Structures are given as C-alpha cells and as structure tokens.
Amino acid sequence: MTGRSVNSILQDHAGRIWFGTDSGVVTYDQAQSFTFTTANGLPDNHVNHLFADKQGCIWISTNNGLARLRFSDQPELTVAEGLASNLVLASFEDREGSLWIGTEAGGLNLLRDKKFTTLTTRQGLASDLIKSVYQDKSGAVWIGTSGSGLSVLRDGKVTNFTTKDGLVSNVVLSLYGDDKGNDVDWYP
C-alpha cells in the first residue's frame, strides 16, 4: 500500500483486514491482497469510512456515494436513490438494521425500509457535516461533527454538546462503544 493514505481500517467477520484509502479499498486475506476501485464498481476511489453490517456486507463511504460490497449485484446509494449528498463520510447500521449515513453537506441520512429520511441543522443537528455515527444500548444515536461538536438523538429530540459543555474538541471524528453498547467514547 505504498503511497496511499489510509482513512479507515476494518476487520470483517471472517477476519479479513480492509483499508479504505485515497485510491480505493485494499483487503488482505492471509497472504493475498485485492484492491477495489472505480474499475470494480466503486462510486469513487477516495474512501472515507468502512463498516461491516450484520449480514457481513462491507459498506464503503466515498466522496461520490455509498457502496455495499456483498459479492452480488447491489446498486450503489447516491443522490439518485435519495441520499442527500454523495460525499459520504460515515455509515452505521443500528440494531434494527437501519442504515445511518453521515454526509459532508447533507446532514445525517437514515435508510429504513428502503426509504430515506434526512436530519439536518433544520431538525436541530449541530452541523450538516457528519463525521461519525453510533447507537448506544438505550437506542440513542450519537452524531460526531467536524467542528460543531456532538449531537445526540434520543426519543426524537436532538441535544447538542460543544466545548462549552465540556468536550475537549468540537471535532468528533470517531465514536465507539463496547460490544454491548454501554459506553460511548469519542475521538477528535
């Protein structure tokens, strides 16, 4: 992977290691590697985020939409399908199987039952530039931004937190919790 910037790292359910780079996705399986690019169907080679859903599909957030790799025919998700912005920075599957998609300028997109819903600053989010998404065990959705702090969506109500509320930084690039969804940690 010489000369590539790594933006996201993932270990899937089968133990393969995936790297989202500025020039596609590289996966390692024991001694073999393979690179996925626009030549293989990615909507863009600049990969911002990777995650594996419960079915083992790999979701690839790019600067031109979101791709799902499941080794079968699956369309991309772009503005043509209802996504608010093609510049996808984060994605997360909640425990109900709905997909939360963070975009650069289109806020937070929720894909549930094949329908998109979009949450933006109009609905109370701290920013429309979403860098990370996570659901805790209570069902609250935590939303990290790039410069406007942290939003928490709980029971349909948004609460925002910034450095004025005690955050170390208003840049929240990653959100993580334990396997049971107990604690939420964020990283600038």
Side-chain angles (χ1 to χ4, degrees), residues 13-52:
H13 304 298
R16 290 179 296 260
I17 305 295
W18 298 77
F19 297 91
T21 75
D22 56 355
S23 54
V25 176
V26 179
T27 182
Y28 289 95
D29 185 5
Q30 298 174 9
Q32 299 179 346
S33 70
F34 187 79
T35 301
F36 295 91
T37 66
T38 54
N40 307 101
L42 286 184
D44 192 88
N45 284 335
H46 189 99
V47 176
N48 298 304
H49 183 258
L50 300 167
F51 92 92

mmCIF file of all heavy atoms in Angstrom, residues 13-52:
data_model
loop_
_atom_site.group_PDB
_atom_site.id
_atom_site.type_symbol
_atom_site.label_atom_id
_atom_site.label_comp_id
_atom_site.label_asym_id
_atom_site.label_seq_id
_atom_site.Cartn_x
_atom_site.Cartn_y
_atom_site.Cartn_z
ATOM 1 N N HIS A 13 -16.080 -9.947 9.696
ATOM 2 C CA HIS A 13 -16.473 -11.118 10.484
ATOM 3 C C HIS A 13 -15.656 -12.361 10.136
ATOM 4 O O HIS A 13 -15.542 -13.271 10.951
ATOM 5 C CB HIS A 13 -17.967 -11.395 10.291
ATOM 6 C CG HIS A 13 -18.830 -10.220 10.625
ATOM 7 N ND1 HIS A 13 -18.884 -9.668 11.883
ATOM 8 C CD2 HIS A 13 -19.645 -9.468 9.852
ATOM 9 C CE1 HIS A 13 -19.707 -8.634 11.881
ATOM 10 N NE2 HIS A 13 -20.182 -8.487 10.667
ATOM 11 N N ALA A 14 -15.092 -12.395 8.936
ATOM 12 C CA ALA A 14 -14.273 -13.536 8.504
ATOM 13 C C ALA A 14 -12.799 -13.350 8.849
ATOM 14 O O ALA A 14 -11.982 -14.211 8.561
ATOM 15 C CB ALA A 14 -14.420 -13.748 6.998
ATOM 16 N N GLY A 15 -12.441 -12.209 9.466
ATOM 17 C CA GLY A 15 -11.062 -11.948 9.857
ATOM 18 C C GLY A 15 -10.234 -11.207 8.824
ATOM 19 O O GLY A 15 -9.062 -10.928 9.061
ATOM 20 N N ARG A 16 -10.823 -10.891 7.661
ATOM 21 C CA ARG A 16 -10.084 -10.127 6.648
ATOM 22 C C ARG A 16 -9.895 -8.693 7.124
ATOM 23 O O ARG A 16 -10.765 -8.119 7.777
ATOM 24 C CB ARG A 16 -10.847 -10.123 5.320
ATOM 25 C CG ARG A 16 -10.881 -11.464 4.621
ATOM 26 C CD ARG A 16 -11.671 -11.366 3.326
ATOM 27 N NE ARG A 16 -13.061 -11.048 3.599
ATOM 28 C CZ ARG A 16 -14.056 -11.937 3.609
ATOM 29 N NH1 ARG A 16 -13.813 -13.196 3.347
ATOM 30 N NH2 ARG A 16 -15.280 -11.573 3.875
ATOM 31 N N ILE A 17 -8.765 -8.101 6.764
ATOM 32 C CA ILE A 17 -8.468 -6.708 7.084
ATOM 33 C C ILE A 17 -8.739 -5.861 5.846
ATOM 34 O O ILE A 17 -8.294 -6.209 4.742
ATOM 35 C CB ILE A 17 -6.996 -6.525 7.533
ATOM 36 C CG1 ILE A 17 -6.675 -7.468 8.696
ATOM 37 C CG2 ILE A 17 -6.714 -5.077 7.886
ATOM 38 C CD1 ILE A 17 -7.446 -7.179 9.970
ATOM 39 N N TRP A 18 -9.452 -4.769 6.024
ATOM 40 C CA TRP A 18 -9.818 -3.852 4.943
ATOM 41 C C TRP A 18 -9.245 -2.473 5.251
ATOM 42 O O TRP A 18 -9.323 -2.010 6.388
ATOM 43 C CB TRP A 18 -11.332 -3.743 4.826
ATOM 44 C CG TRP A 18 -12.029 -5.018 4.496
ATOM 45 C CD1 TRP A 18 -12.297 -6.059 5.352
ATOM 46 C CD2 TRP A 18 -12.543 -5.402 3.227
ATOM 47 N NE1 TRP A 18 -12.953 -7.061 4.693
ATOM 48 C CE2 TRP A 18 -13.127 -6.683 3.376
ATOM 49 C CE3 TRP A 18 -12.584 -4.787 1.977
ATOM 50 C CZ2 TRP A 18 -13.736 -7.343 2.332
ATOM 51 C CZ3 TRP A 18 -13.198 -5.456 0.931
ATOM 52 C CH2 TRP A 18 -13.757 -6.714 1.103
ATOM 53 N N PHE A 19 -8.717 -1.826 4.229
ATOM 54 C CA PHE A 19 -8.181 -0.468 4.357
ATOM 55 C C PHE A 19 -8.892 0.425 3.352
ATOM 56 O O PHE A 19 -8.850 0.173 2.142
ATOM 57 C CB PHE A 19 -6.677 -0.439 4.071
ATOM 58 C CG PHE A 19 -5.870 -1.252 5.036
ATOM 59 C CD1 PHE A 19 -5.586 -2.582 4.787
ATOM 60 C CD2 PHE A 19 -5.394 -0.677 6.208
ATOM 61 C CE1 PHE A 19 -4.846 -3.339 5.685
ATOM 62 C CE2 PHE A 19 -4.653 -1.424 7.113
ATOM 63 C CZ PHE A 19 -4.384 -2.758 6.853
ATOM 64 N N GLY A 20 -9.535 1.469 3.851
ATOM 65 C CA GLY A 20 -10.112 2.488 2.977
ATOM 66 C C GLY A 20 -9.060 3.553 2.738
ATOM 67 O O GLY A 20 -8.572 4.163 3.689
ATOM 68 N N THR A 21 -8.687 3.765 1.494
ATOM 69 C CA THR A 21 -7.595 4.677 1.165
ATOM 70 C C THR A 21 -8.082 5.782 0.245
ATOM 71 O O THR A 21 -9.243 5.809 -0.165
ATOM 72 C CB THR A 21 -6.429 3.932 0.485
ATOM 73 O OG1 THR A 21 -6.786 3.628 -0.863
ATOM 74 C CG2 THR A 21 -6.068 2.653 1.235
ATOM 75 N N ASP A 22 -7.163 6.663 -0.127
ATOM 76 C CA ASP A 22 -7.486 7.725 -1.079
ATOM 77 C C ASP A 22 -7.470 7.218 -2.519
ATOM 78 O O ASP A 22 -7.733 7.970 -3.446
ATOM 79 C CB ASP A 22 -6.542 8.911 -0.903
ATOM 80 C CG ASP A 22 -5.080 8.519 -1.024
ATOM 81 O OD1 ASP A 22 -4.774 7.317 -1.147
ATOM 82 O OD2 ASP A 22 -4.230 9.422 -0.981
ATOM 83 N N SER A 23 -7.177 5.931 -2.697
ATOM 84 C CA SER A 23 -7.178 5.360 -4.045
ATOM 85 C C SER A 23 -7.860 3.987 -4.080
ATOM 86 O O SER A 23 -7.436 3.087 -4.777
ATOM 87 C CB SER A 23 -5.752 5.271 -4.597
ATOM 88 O OG SER A 23 -4.912 4.574 -3.713
ATOM 89 N N GLY A 24 -8.920 3.840 -3.295
ATOM 90 C CA GLY A 24 -9.707 2.613 -3.304
ATOM 91 C C GLY A 24 -9.670 1.868 -1.985
ATOM 92 O O GLY A 24 -9.262 2.400 -0.961
ATOM 93 N N VAL A 25 -10.117 0.619 -2.026
ATOM 94 C CA VAL A 25 -10.159 -0.251 -0.854
ATOM 95 C C VAL A 25 -9.199 -1.409 -1.085
ATOM 96 O O VAL A 25 -9.219 -2.038 -2.142
ATOM 97 C CB VAL A 25 -11.580 -0.806 -0.621
ATOM 98 C CG1 VAL A 25 -11.589 -1.789 0.538
ATOM 99 C CG2 VAL A 25 -12.558 0.312 -0.366
ATOM 100 N N VAL A 26 -8.364 -1.675 -0.087
ATOM 101 C CA VAL A 26 -7.445 -2.805 -0.156
ATOM 102 C C VAL A 26 -7.845 -3.777 0.937
ATOM 103 O O VAL A 26 -8.074 -3.384 2.082
ATOM 104 C CB VAL A 26 -5.978 -2.351 0.050
ATOM 105 C CG1 VAL A 26 -5.044 -3.552 0.000
ATOM 106 C CG2 VAL A 26 -5.588 -1.306 -0.984
ATOM 107 N N THR A 27 -7.963 -5.055 0.584
ATOM 108 C CA THR A 27 -8.279 -6.070 1.576
ATOM 109 C C THR A 27 -7.188 -7.135 1.577
ATOM 110 O O THR A 27 -6.635 -7.466 0.532
ATOM 111 C CB THR A 27 -9.664 -6.708 1.325
ATOM 112 O OG1 THR A 27 -9.923 -7.647 2.369
ATOM 113 C CG2 THR A 27 -9.735 -7.402 -0.010
ATOM 114 N N TYR A 28 -6.893 -7.615 2.782
ATOM 115 C CA TYR A 28 -5.895 -8.678 2.958
ATOM 116 C C TYR A 28 -6.578 -9.882 3.575
ATOM 117 O O TYR A 28 -7.278 -9.771 4.572
ATOM 118 C CB TYR A 28 -4.764 -8.213 3.880
ATOM 119 C CG TYR A 28 -3.863 -7.196 3.249
ATOM 120 C CD1 TYR A 28 -4.074 -5.844 3.438
ATOM 121 C CD2 TYR A 28 -2.804 -7.596 2.446
ATOM 122 C CE1 TYR A 28 -3.248 -4.906 2.847
ATOM 123 C CE2 TYR A 28 -1.970 -6.661 1.851
ATOM 124 C CZ TYR A 28 -2.196 -5.320 2.049
ATOM 125 O OH TYR A 28 -1.382 -4.394 1.458
ATOM 126 N N ASP A 29 -6.358 -11.027 2.950
ATOM 127 C CA ASP A 29 -6.884 -12.286 3.446
ATOM 128 C C ASP A 29 -5.723 -13.273 3.453
ATOM 129 O O ASP A 29 -5.341 -13.791 2.408
ATOM 130 C CB ASP A 29 -8.007 -12.782 2.547
ATOM 131 C CG ASP A 29 -8.680 -14.028 3.094
ATOM 132 O OD1 ASP A 29 -8.354 -14.457 4.211
ATOM 133 O OD2 ASP A 29 -9.540 -14.566 2.376
ATOM 134 N N GLN A 30 -5.146 -13.481 4.607
ATOM 135 C CA GLN A 30 -3.940 -14.290 4.780
ATOM 136 C C GLN A 30 -2.812 -13.678 3.955
ATOM 137 O O GLN A 30 -2.405 -12.570 4.241
ATOM 138 C CB GLN A 30 -4.206 -15.747 4.459
ATOM 139 C CG GLN A 30 -5.235 -16.346 5.394
ATOM 140 C CD GLN A 30 -5.611 -17.755 5.008
ATOM 141 O OE1 GLN A 30 -5.020 -18.374 4.152
ATOM 142 N NE2 GLN A 30 -6.628 -18.270 5.675
ATOM 143 N N ALA A 31 -2.326 -14.329 2.939
ATOM 144 C CA ALA A 31 -1.183 -13.812 2.179
ATOM 145 C C ALA A 31 -1.606 -13.085 0.907
ATOM 146 O O ALA A 31 -0.766 -12.569 0.188
ATOM 147 C CB ALA A 31 -0.242 -14.958 1.813
ATOM 148 N N GLN A 32 -2.907 -13.025 0.610
ATOM 149 C CA GLN A 32 -3.376 -12.402 -0.626
ATOM 150 C C GLN A 32 -3.950 -11.028 -0.349
ATOM 151 O O GLN A 32 -4.490 -10.765 0.719
ATOM 152 C CB GLN A 32 -4.448 -13.263 -1.287
ATOM 153 C CG GLN A 32 -3.963 -14.634 -1.683
ATOM 154 C CD GLN A 32 -5.079 -15.453 -2.320
ATOM 155 O OE1 GLN A 32 -6.242 -15.107 -2.245
ATOM 156 N NE2 GLN A 32 -4.702 -16.560 -2.929
ATOM 157 N N SER A 33 -3.844 -10.146 -1.357
ATOM 158 C CA SER A 33 -4.474 -8.840 -1.249
ATOM 159 C C SER A 33 -5.227 -8.556 -2.538
ATOM 160 O O SER A 33 -4.922 -9.109 -3.595
ATOM 161 C CB SER A 33 -3.438 -7.751 -0.991
ATOM 162 O OG SER A 33 -2.640 -7.536 -2.131
ATOM 163 N N PHE A 34 -6.241 -7.698 -2.416
ATOM 164 C CA PHE A 34 -7.008 -7.287 -3.579
ATOM 165 C C PHE A 34 -7.399 -5.834 -3.386
ATOM 166 O O PHE A 34 -7.710 -5.412 -2.271
ATOM 167 C CB PHE A 34 -8.257 -8.157 -3.759
ATOM 168 C CG PHE A 34 -8.990 -7.878 -5.035
ATOM 169 C CD1 PHE A 34 -8.533 -8.391 -6.238
ATOM 170 C CD2 PHE A 34 -10.115 -7.079 -5.037
ATOM 171 C CE1 PHE A 34 -9.193 -8.120 -7.429
ATOM 172 C CE2 PHE A 34 -10.783 -6.803 -6.214
ATOM 173 C CZ PHE A 34 -10.322 -7.327 -7.416
ATOM 174 N N THR A 35 -7.405 -5.073 -4.479
ATOM 175 C CA THR A 35 -7.782 -3.665 -4.435
ATOM 176 C C THR A 35 -9.071 -3.460 -5.221
ATOM 177 O O THR A 35 -9.193 -3.915 -6.359
ATOM 178 C CB THR A 35 -6.662 -2.784 -5.026
ATOM 179 O OG1 THR A 35 -5.469 -3.002 -4.270
ATOM 180 C CG2 THR A 35 -7.037 -1.320 -4.962
ATOM 181 N N PHE A 36 -10.042 -2.777 -4.592
ATOM 182 C CA PHE A 36 -11.288 -2.391 -5.248
ATOM 183 C C PHE A 36 -11.202 -0.901 -5.570
ATOM 184 O O PHE A 36 -10.859 -0.090 -4.706
ATOM 185 C CB PHE A 36 -12.493 -2.616 -4.322
ATOM 186 C CG PHE A 36 -12.743 -4.050 -3.983
ATOM 187 C CD1 PHE A 36 -12.173 -4.615 -2.856
ATOM 188 C CD2 PHE A 36 -13.553 -4.836 -4.784
ATOM 189 C CE1 PHE A 36 -12.407 -5.938 -2.525
ATOM 190 C CE2 PHE A 36 -13.794 -6.165 -4.464
ATOM 191 C CZ PHE A 36 -13.218 -6.714 -3.338
ATOM 192 N N THR A 37 -11.549 -0.547 -6.798
ATOM 193 C CA THR A 37 -11.536 0.857 -7.243
ATOM 194 C C THR A 37 -12.789 1.114 -8.083
ATOM 195 O O THR A 37 -13.657 0.245 -8.199
ATOM 196 C CB THR A 37 -10.288 1.152 -8.099
ATOM 197 O OG1 THR A 37 -10.373 0.393 -9.313
ATOM 198 C CG2 THR A 37 -8.995 0.834 -7.356
ATOM 199 N N THR A 38 -12.827 2.282 -8.707
ATOM 200 C CA THR A 38 -13.931 2.578 -9.625
ATOM 201 C C THR A 38 -13.970 1.569 -10.765
ATOM 202 O O THR A 38 -15.040 1.289 -11.301
ATOM 203 C CB THR A 38 -13.812 4.007 -10.180
ATOM 204 O OG1 THR A 38 -12.512 4.178 -10.761
ATOM 205 C CG2 THR A 38 -14.039 5.050 -9.094
ATOM 206 N N ALA A 39 -12.838 0.993 -11.112
ATOM 207 C CA ALA A 39 -12.804 -0.027 -12.157
ATOM 208 C C ALA A 39 -13.590 -1.278 -11.752
ATOM 209 O O ALA A 39 -14.072 -2.021 -12.610
ATOM 210 C CB ALA A 39 -11.360 -0.407 -12.487
ATOM 211 N N ASN A 40 -13.756 -1.498 -10.433
ATOM 212 C CA ASN A 40 -14.526 -2.630 -9.918
ATOM 213 C C ASN A 40 -15.928 -2.222 -9.493
ATOM 214 O O ASN A 40 -16.655 -3.032 -8.914
ATOM 215 C CB ASN A 40 -13.827 -3.258 -8.712
ATOM 216 C CG ASN A 40 -12.400 -3.618 -8.990
ATOM 217 O OD1 ASN A 40 -11.508 -2.878 -8.585
ATOM 218 N ND2 ASN A 40 -12.168 -4.713 -9.684
ATOM 219 N N GLY A 41 -16.302 -0.958 -9.706
ATOM 220 C CA GLY A 41 -17.654 -0.519 -9.394
ATOM 221 C C GLY A 41 -17.809 0.438 -8.238
ATOM 222 O O GLY A 41 -18.928 0.835 -7.914
ATOM 223 N N LEU A 42 -16.711 0.828 -7.555
ATOM 224 C CA LEU A 42 -16.849 1.838 -6.504
ATOM 225 C C LEU A 42 -17.312 3.152 -7.124
ATOM 226 O O LEU A 42 -16.890 3.493 -8.234
ATOM 227 C CB LEU A 42 -15.521 2.074 -5.784
ATOM 228 C CG LEU A 42 -15.019 1.017 -4.822
ATOM 229 C CD1 LEU A 42 -13.730 1.484 -4.145
ATOM 230 C CD2 LEU A 42 -16.052 0.669 -3.782
ATOM 231 N N PRO A 43 -18.136 3.933 -6.420
ATOM 232 C CA PRO A 43 -18.569 5.215 -6.978
ATOM 233 C C PRO A 43 -17.447 6.251 -7.025
ATOM 234 O O PRO A 43 -17.517 7.203 -7.794
ATOM 235 C CB PRO A 43 -19.690 5.660 -6.042
ATOM 236 C CG PRO A 43 -19.548 4.854 -4.807
ATOM 237 C CD PRO A 43 -18.820 3.601 -5.177
ATOM 238 N N ASP A 44 -16.399 6.068 -6.212
ATOM 239 C CA ASP A 44 -15.261 6.978 -6.183
ATOM 240 C C ASP A 44 -14.102 6.250 -5.511
ATOM 241 O O ASP A 44 -14.320 5.384 -4.669
ATOM 242 C CB ASP A 44 -15.612 8.252 -5.389
ATOM 243 C CG ASP A 44 -14.592 9.350 -5.554
ATOM 244 O OD1 ASP A 44 -14.739 10.140 -6.500
ATOM 245 O OD2 ASP A 44 -13.644 9.424 -4.750
ATOM 246 N N ASN A 45 -12.883 6.604 -5.858
ATOM 247 C CA ASN A 45 -11.724 5.942 -5.257
ATOM 248 C C ASN A 45 -11.347 6.497 -3.889
ATOM 249 O O ASN A 45 -10.631 5.834 -3.136
ATOM 250 C CB ASN A 45 -10.514 6.033 -6.190
ATOM 251 C CG ASN A 45 -10.619 5.057 -7.338
ATOM 252 O OD1 ASN A 45 -11.286 4.038 -7.247
ATOM 253 N ND2 ASN A 45 -9.972 5.379 -8.438
ATOM 254 N N HIS A 46 -11.797 7.705 -3.544
ATOM 255 C CA HIS A 46 -11.474 8.259 -2.227
ATOM 256 C C HIS A 46 -12.448 7.677 -1.202
ATOM 257 O O HIS A 46 -13.625 8.011 -1.187
ATOM 258 C CB HIS A 46 -11.542 9.786 -2.218
ATOM 259 C CG HIS A 46 -11.016 10.354 -0.945
ATOM 260 N ND1 HIS A 46 -9.742 10.849 -0.838
ATOM 261 C CD2 HIS A 46 -11.558 10.467 0.284
ATOM 262 C CE1 HIS A 46 -9.532 11.256 0.399
ATOM 263 N NE2 HIS A 46 -10.636 11.028 1.101
ATOM 264 N N VAL A 47 -11.938 6.794 -0.341
ATOM 265 C CA VAL A 47 -12.763 6.095 0.644
ATOM 266 C C VAL A 47 -12.582 6.772 2.004
ATOM 267 O O VAL A 47 -11.469 6.905 2.504
ATOM 268 C CB VAL A 47 -12.383 4.599 0.719
ATOM 269 C CG1 VAL A 47 -13.161 3.896 1.811
ATOM 270 C CG2 VAL A 47 -12.633 3.946 -0.641
ATOM 271 N N ASN A 48 -13.708 7.178 2.609
ATOM 272 C CA ASN A 48 -13.694 7.881 3.885
ATOM 273 C C ASN A 48 -13.913 6.972 5.081
ATOM 274 O O ASN A 48 -13.398 7.220 6.159
ATOM 275 C CB ASN A 48 -14.774 8.977 3.892
ATOM 276 C CG ASN A 48 -14.523 10.008 2.836
ATOM 277 O OD1 ASN A 48 -13.463 10.615 2.792
ATOM 278 N ND2 ASN A 48 -15.486 10.204 1.950
ATOM 279 N N HIS A 49 -14.715 5.903 4.889
ATOM 280 C CA HIS A 49 -15.099 5.079 6.030
ATOM 281 C C HIS A 49 -15.521 3.698 5.537
ATOM 282 O O HIS A 49 -16.068 3.557 4.451
ATOM 283 C CB HIS A 49 -16.268 5.765 6.762
ATOM 284 C CG HIS A 49 -16.701 5.054 7.993
ATOM 285 N ND1 HIS A 49 -17.819 4.272 8.044
ATOM 286 C CD2 HIS A 49 -16.168 5.006 9.225
ATOM 287 C CE1 HIS A 49 -17.955 3.780 9.265
ATOM 288 N NE2 HIS A 49 -16.970 4.198 9.997
ATOM 289 N N LEU A 50 -15.275 2.678 6.370
ATOM 290 C CA LEU A 50 -15.688 1.299 6.096
ATOM 291 C C LEU A 50 -16.423 0.744 7.305
ATOM 292 O O LEU A 50 -16.057 1.048 8.444
ATOM 293 C CB LEU A 50 -14.471 0.400 5.857
ATOM 294 C CG LEU A 50 -13.535 0.743 4.714
ATOM 295 C CD1 LEU A 50 -12.244 -0.060 4.841
ATOM 296 C CD2 LEU A 50 -14.213 0.459 3.385
ATOM 297 N N PHE A 51 -17.455 -0.077 7.077
ATOM 298 C CA PHE A 51 -18.001 -0.864 8.179
ATOM 299 C C PHE A 51 -18.654 -2.112 7.634
ATOM 300 O O PHE A 51 -19.064 -2.169 6.479
ATOM 301 C CB PHE A 51 -18.943 -0.043 9.072
ATOM 302 C CG PHE A 51 -20.391 -0.096 8.714
ATOM 303 C CD1 PHE A 51 -21.228 -1.040 9.285
ATOM 304 C CD2 PHE A 51 -20.932 0.811 7.821
ATOM 305 C CE1 PHE A 51 -22.570 -1.085 8.960
ATOM 306 C CE2 PHE A 51 -22.271 0.775 7.493
ATOM 307 C CZ PHE A 51 -23.094 -0.173 8.066
ATOM 308 N N ALA A 52 -18.747 -3.139 8.470
ATOM 309 C CA ALA A 52 -19.384 -4.401 8.106
ATOM 310 C C ALA A 52 -20.715 -4.500 8.839
ATOM 311 O O ALA A 52 -20.777 -4.295 10.053
ATOM 312 C CB ALA A 52 -18.483 -5.574 8.481
#
